[in-house]
Amino acid sequence: MSHASGIVASPELVSEFAKAKDDASVRFIQVAVEGTVLVSKRVGPKEADTAADLQGLKKHLEPTTPSFIVLRLDDAEAPGDWLLVMFVPDEGKVREKMLYASSRDALKRDLGYSCFKGEMHASDMEEVSYERYQQQVLVSDTDRLSLMSEKERMLAKELNTHVDTGISKSSYVHSVQLPLTPEAESAIKAFVAKSANFVRLKADTAKEVIDLDDSQTLQGGFARFKGLVCVGEEPRYCLYSHEAEGAASPVTVFVFFCPEGAKVREKMLYSTAKAACIGLAEQLGVTVDKKLEVRDSSDLTEAELQPSEPAAAEPAAPAISRPRGPGGKRGLTKVPVVPQ
């Protein structure tokens, strides 16, 4: 069975799962992606209840290696149903994380959508727990909020996010307003006053503010600028003012650096706070001439920093002359009546 991602479940895995459904002693099947095939790596027996066995999965996982686990549920809410546990650690390789994310649907489809009660996603060992299962799969959105800490509820409210159940794909995030710290505001004002031509900002997820990361008068041209923008594995916002060839005044560029290796939570926060960050800078007097978004150094070229060419005015379409109709009322020609 072939899918858009090119990943398929091996015949052995499909057969093994079919047997496991009829064998109540089987608790889980651990699945890995090898090349373009989903294969069974381990079959685990039922040793205790769902909560204890789910917690025990940690001993079969490696901190930096993604893995799928198809887990049998025996709780009152879902007797005989299965849970897809998707363990994709933040510290894993970017290519592997993308591979597992794109293989999830193929695994469920080849084993049978109807067999799964839901999905549980974990990005570190601490999230492989029965509590995580309760939060993501068992309870309603209202009940799930009651299980969160006060800080988690505040963040969910601020982000205005729909809490995913692991079954529905409908989730949304609106623009987030993060205030500037006094240090960040002072640096932007200095940028406007031309006391500095480069400012780098970071979002502090703990304090929920945009803070100053670096501010300086940049020397060394584009190479130096590129080295200050594309640094590390965390997203950043950058403001840069430079002299561009043919421009009457300095060009101000806003760059959103969002590397592939960044944590999903950080990507979400930075992406949704970007518009508000630009707005706050403009309120302080910054005129943004260009807005760029880059994932790595190869995305950022010197040509991108040049001012945009004004769109050439399209020539007016020539008037279409309509042929004159024949004479007579409403363009009709009277036909003479031939006497009989």
Side-chain angles (χ1 to χ4, degrees):
M1 188 179 297
S2 177
H3 304 308
S5 66
I7 304 295
V8 296
S10 69
E12 293 78 13
L13 173 59
V14 174
S15 175
E16 198 159 47
F17 181 65
K19 294 177 182 177
K21 287 191 292 184
D22 295 329
D23 185 353
S25 68
V26 174
R27 171 62 78 188
F28 71 88
I29 300 175
Q30 187 170 12
V31 179
V33 182
E34 292 186 355
T36 59
V37 182
L38 291 155
V39 299
S40 171
K41 300 298 290 184
R42 180 181 288 108
V43 178
K46 183 185 294 187
E47 298 178 347
D49 59 12
T50 300
D53 284 350
L54 181 53
Q55 192 78 15
L57 293 178
K58 295 178 183 180
K59 62 187 178 186
H60 303 298
L61 299 171
E62 298 179 17
T64 61
T65 303
S67 182
F68 291 123
I69 293 182
V70 180
L71 181 81
R72 181 193 299 275
L73 300 172
D74 55 13
D75 50 272
E77 293 85 353
D81 282 345
W82 296 80
L83 173 73
L84 176 58
V85 180
M86 185 174 173
F87 178 67
V88 182
D90 289 331
E91 295 77 12
K93 295 179 180 179
V94 174
R95 184 180 180 280
E96 288 186 346
K97 291 193 287 186
M98 294 176 64
L99 181 63
Y100 274 76
S102 63
S103 305
R104 172 187 59 85
D105 189 66
L107 176 59
K108 292 176 65 177
R109 187 177 303 175
D110 285 0
L111 298 187
Y113 283 122
S114 61
C115 298
F116 293 92
K117 176 181 175 62
E119 300 174 17
M120 189 184 94
H121 299 255
S123 57
D124 58 48
M125 289 292 190
E126 293 301 316
E127 292 181 346
V128 182
S129 66
Y130 190 72
E131 290 73 20
R132 182 78 168 177
Y133 164 61
Q134 289 179 308
Q135 292 174 1
Q136 289 197 349
V137 182
L138 284 186
V139 299
S140 66
D141 286 357
T142 301
D143 292 336
R144 189 173 294 107
L145 286 172
S146 70
L147 294 173
M148 294 180 179
S149 66
E150 181 63 26
K151 188 174 183 179
E152 289 174 327
R153 287 197 295 270
M154 291 291 289
L155 181 60
K157 182 179 180 181
E158 179 69 21
L159 293 179
N160 192 21
T161 57
H162 170 78
V163 186
D164 195 359
T165 64
I167 300 173
S168 170
K169 294 183 180 178
S170 61
S171 60
Y172 56 89
V173 184
H174 297 297
S175 180
V176 178
Q177 293 280 349
L178 297 183
L180 296 170
T181 63
E183 293 79 9
E185 186 171 331
S186 296
I188 293 176
K189 288 179 178 178
F191 180 87
V192 174
K194 299 183 176 10
S195 299
N197 67 351
F198 177 81
V199 174
R200 188 171 63 215
L201 304 169
K202 63 181 180 180
D204 188 323
T205 55
K207 298 179 181 177
E208 297 181 14
V209 295
I210 295 176
D211 201 0
L212 177 65
D213 194 38
D214 189 15
S215 176
Q216 59 179 278
T217 299
L218 192 60
Q219 302 292 337
F222 174 72
R224 175 63 176 155
F225 164 71
K226 189 173 185 177
L228 290 174
V229 171
C230 304
V231 56
E233 290 295 325
E234 295 181 359
R236 288 291 185 267
Y237 303 128
C238 297
L239 284 169
Y240 178 49
S241 178
H242 70 106
E243 300 290 340
E245 185 178 352
S249 58
V251 175
T252 297
V253 183
F254 177 90
V255 182
F256 171 34
F257 174 58
C258 189
E260 290 286 359
K263 295 180 180 179
V264 174
R265 178 187 176 88
E266 290 180 341
K267 289 181 180 180
M268 180 179 71
L269 182 63
Y270 273 84
S271 295
T272 54
K274 178 181 68 173
C277 181
I278 294 173
L280 291 171
E282 290 176 337
Q283 288 177 20
L284 294 174
V286 176
T287 299
V288 178
D289 300 303
K290 294 204 72 173
K291 301 170 187 175
L292 304 175
E293 182 170 333
V294 298
R295 294 171 296 178
D296 55 47
S297 58
S298 64
D299 288 341
L300 187 58
T301 64
E302 193 166 5
E304 294 282 356
L305 303 186
Q306 303 307 311
S308 302
E309 292 286 341
E314 294 185 4
I320 300 175
S321 57
R322 299 179 180 274
R324 296 176 61 87
K329 188 176 181 182
R330 295 186 182 178
L332 299 177
T333 302
K334 292 183 178 181
V335 180
V337 180
V338 179
Q340 298 293 330

